[in-house]
Amino acid sequence: MRQHIAGSLTGRVTSWLVLLAWIAAFVVSAGLSAKLTDVQDNEAASWLPESAESTRVSEELAGTVDPNDIPTLVVYQRDGGLTDADLGAIEQQAAAMADVDGVSGKVVDARTAEAAGFDSLSPDGEVAVTTLTLNFGDDGWNAIPDAAEELRSIAALDGGTVHLAGYGGQAADSAEAFEGIDTNLVVVTFAVVIVILLLTYRSPALWLLPILSAAVAYTVSGGVVYLLAAHAGLTVNAQSQAILGILVIGAGTDYALLLVARYREELRRHDDRHAAMAVALHRAAPAILASAATVVVSMLCLGVAELNSTAGLGPVLAIGVSVTFLVMVTLLPALLVITGRWVFWPRRPLAGSREPTATGLWARVGRAIEPRPRRVWVLTAAALAVACLGVLRLDTSGLSTEDTYTEELDSVRGQRVLVEHGLLDSSNTAQVVADTDQIDEVVAAMADVEGLGLPSEPRPVSDERAYVEATVDHDISSGAAFDVVTSTRTAVHDVGGADALVGGGSAVYLDTQVASDRDSRVIMPLVLVVVLLILIGLLRAVVAPLLLIATVVLSFGAALGISTLLFDYVFGFAGADPGFPLFAFVFLVALGIDYNIFLMTRVREESVLHGTRQGALIGLRSTGGVITSAGLVLAATFLMLATIPFVFLVELGVAVALGVLLDTMVVRSVLVTALNLDLGDRIWWPSALARRDRDRDTPAPVREDPRVGV
């Protein structure tokens, strides 16, 4: 039945119809995909669940404090001290800044603040701060870079330095770091994949077909995601869009490599290329479907996350992989049969020609493992277990603003100037809401919290609730700021009958960390369970899926351990984002299992004909080259994330790339093959393959291959 469907999709007429259908989908989606950045939601506060304390504070203050307000600081510095002329110029510049689009309310320079009793001039007289508020409504992420550029063009200090800092400066730097990511990253990724495909295929034309198919998949998936984000409430941010492009290109190329390899193999068995494709698609599609289903279901598991950013990432990537699967099993086969055998030039696979994998590298690897498979898998597993020990150095308590980026940004320099000269970052505050009758007791409790500035005068929120805020004397996303928030919450929660809640910038980051920890504990086991069920259904066994899951988890631990040591001793990173282990786990398990699926589906197919031990050797030599190429492609694409000056994405890209290489070079080729050779037919328990009555050390008689001549 499946072969009949495969043949109908790749017939002489239907292949052209498939091509025309995808061209139409590409044209329609191109305009929609280009607008995907317009519907991004990059505000950290909007990522939190409604149950988070900082979210509840934001909801209560919605009528009092505009959630779209972005406190911003302009930091002026002159070594030796600011002059009266400097302060006068700063005052004039503050007046000009008030006319910048997006500036809301009064712009307060150092002189004005000093007259009002606020400390905006450093004790040594070398630093002055102008405070202002930016507000662009819901379009803050897109609009703030232009406003920041205009503010920097106004702010000037001859012989001194000026920095844009505070929450506004950080937001501007972050937006600028991701600017153009939707195009630049994808272009670079495509370039890297093209180079790898040229080296893999050694053909001047064949590489173009997978690339065109991946481009169609990326464009169409972007269009679908845009429609859901614009009209169905799907959360998309800059990170999820970047990962979408990487995943679609990487996974799509992997599927293409597997299908092309099987098609080339069948071309040596069939005179008619349409018949060859029908058999190739019939044989390869189940593995590709299982691989795509594993990734899709794993991504959908992210939907149970408390963090909206994580929960939104799952559907975005699931859509991308689903579209990619459809493209690679319809459009790519159509392109291959339309172009014909010449596209493989100069190594055209002719009917009856020799299969080169029978004597290649992976055939030699299999023969080397065959005499002592148990020793091989025990030593390999032990080496991977040792590598896992590096995880003990992993610190996921979060990163300060200074440590969040791989390069020193303007807002970070401004923050450092404030700290070095004894000034507070007044843009980072703890916002406290409590019952009006107990607000004075709450203020008194806040006064005893170390690291918290003096509370402001209480302001009414409603007839029953009041609001105060105080400056947090630490970087907004630092552990020290989290300690202040925790201490503040403990203090005000102890005020009986106050029903006090603590929010603000640092509280948002702290609640994000708490939600990330919970998501990791819930989602990681869930992903393992669903992947295991898919493997059981695909391989119709229990032992093999359990072993495959164990090998992938071991590979994940080793990749995380080695990556942690690299981050610590080579890159010099201060730690990791709380969400890093979860994202690395989901990607490495979902993608790492792909290569085991590619291998084991072929091993099972050959085991029916030749027995498990012989099937393991045939499966390794048949899939070794294509899986290695696929691993290199996926590792290279994820490594492109390291080009973004954002520590979280650099760490994610490096860890996933390293894990994929371990999966392809060590786990799949050595560990899994050795387990297959050691266990033999027992690996298929409880299926009928495990009950075959033959000596486990005696190869099965070779049956006639029913695929020949189909």
Side-chain angles (χ1 to χ4, degrees), residues 562-573:
I562 297 172
S563 298
T564 298
L565 298 179
L566 289 174
F567 301 152
D568 196 359
Y569 296 108
V570 178
F571 292 92
F573 294 152

Side-chain angles (χ1 to χ4, degrees), residues 647-701:
V647 168
F648 169 73
L649 290 181
V650 172
E651 292 183 338
L652 181 63
V654 170
V656 173
L658 180 60
V660 166
L661 291 177
L662 282 176
D663 281 327
T664 55
M665 304 296 183
V666 179
V667 173
R668 180 267 314 164
S669 59
V670 179
L671 182 57
V672 174
T673 297
L675 287 168
N676 285 333
L677 290 170
D678 187 22
L679 294 177
D681 290 344
R682 291 174 296 177
I683 204 166
W684 306 116
W685 184 89
S687 72
L689 284 177
R691 299 192 297 271
R692 290 187 296 194
D693 184 19
R694 66 166 64 106
D695 189 305
R696 62 186 293 264
D697 295 319
T698 303

Side-chain angles (χ1 to χ4, degrees), residues 423-644:
L423 289 174
L424 297 178
D425 178 359
S426 58
S427 68
N428 181 25
T429 64
Q431 301 171 336
V432 182
V433 179
D435 288 351
T436 303
D437 294 342
Q438 280 76 36
I439 193 65
D440 291 336
E441 289 86 346
V442 169
V443 171
M446 293 172 63
D448 296 330
V449 176
E450 186 177 354
L452 195 65
L454 292 176
S456 63
E457 288 294 323
R459 286 181 282 173
V461 176
S462 64
D463 293 339
E464 297 83 19
R465 304 282 279 173
Y467 152 72
V468 295
E469 66 178 339
T471 301
V472 176
D473 188 15
H474 297 285
D475 178 77
I476 190 170
S477 60
S478 64
F482 295 166
D483 292 339
V484 172
V485 172
T486 301
S487 299
T488 304
R489 284 177 171 171
T490 300
V492 301
H493 290 171
D494 287 342
V495 178
D499 191 20
L501 302 171
V502 179
S506 292
V508 168
Y509 281 99
L510 174 59
D511 290 343
T512 299
Q513 181 179 20
V514 172
S516 292
D517 292 340
R518 176 265 176 197
D519 291 343
S520 296
R521 292 193 302 271
V522 172
I523 295 174
M524 286 184 179
L526 182 60
V527 169
L528 288 179
V529 170
V530 298
V531 171
L532 177 63
L533 293 176
I534 291 174
L535 288 176
I536 290 174
L538 175 69
L539 300 177
R540 287 162 280 175
V542 172
V543 172
L546 286 172
L547 288 175
L548 294 181
I549 287 290
T551 61
V552 170
V553 171
L554 186 60
S555 174
F556 162 73
L560 200 62
I562 297 172
S563 298
T564 298
L565 298 179
L566 289 174
F567 301 152
D568 196 359
Y569 296 108
V570 178
F571 292 92
F573 294 152
D577 185 271
F580 164 68
L582 173 60
F583 281 88
F585 177 84
V586 171
F587 283 119
L588 281 177
V589 170
L591 298 172
I593 205 70
D594 283 2
Y595 305 113
N596 283 332
I597 288 174
F598 294 164
L599 171 65
M600 291 302 288
T601 51
R602 185 60 182 265
V603 171
R604 194 183 194 286
E605 179 185 328
E606 300 296 342
S607 295
V608 174
L609 303 171
H610 309 293
T612 299
R613 287 183 174 78
Q614 189 66 20
L617 297 176
I618 296 174
L620 175 62
R621 74 192 189 205
S622 299
T623 64
V626 64
I627 291 177
T628 301
S629 298
L632 289 173
V633 167
L634 196 62
T637 53
F638 266 90
L639 203 56
M640 290 301 99
L641 290 175
T643 62
I644 303 171

Side-chain angles (χ1 to χ4, degrees), residues 30-40 141-142 175-190 218-219 222 236-246 249 641 643-644 649:
L32 299 175
S33 181
K35 297 190 292 184
L36 190 53
T37 54
D38 298 338
V39 294
Q40 288 182 2
W141 178 266
N142 295 319
E176 290 167 2
F178 282 96
E179 190 174 11
I181 192 174
D182 54 317
T183 53
N184 298 339
L185 185 63
V186 169
V187 169
V188 173
T189 302
F190 268 124
Y218 174 69
T219 302
V236 183
N237 56 44
Q239 289 184 38
S240 60
Q241 185 172 350
I243 297 173
L244 173 66
I246 292 293
I249 298 170
L641 290 175
T643 62
I644 303 171
L649 290 181

Side-chain angles (χ1 to χ4, degrees), residues 125-150:
E126 292 187 352
V127 177
V129 179
T130 295
T131 61
L132 55 95
T133 300
L134 295 170
N135 191 314
F136 306 96
D138 295 333
D139 195 38
W141 178 266
N142 295 319
I144 199 168
D146 290 338
E149 183 177 355
E150 191 170 355

Side-chain angles (χ1 to χ4, degrees), residues 369-406:
I369 298 172
E370 187 179 14
R372 299 178 183 85
R374 185 167 299 177
R375 178 184 297 180
V376 171
W377 74 254
V378 168
L379 292 176
T380 304
L384 291 172
V386 170
C388 293
L389 297 176
V391 174
L392 299 175
R393 294 283 304 173
L394 183 62
D395 177 12
T396 59
S397 59
L399 298 166
S400 67
T401 303
E402 183 174 357
D403 297 325
T404 297
Y405 300 93
T406 59

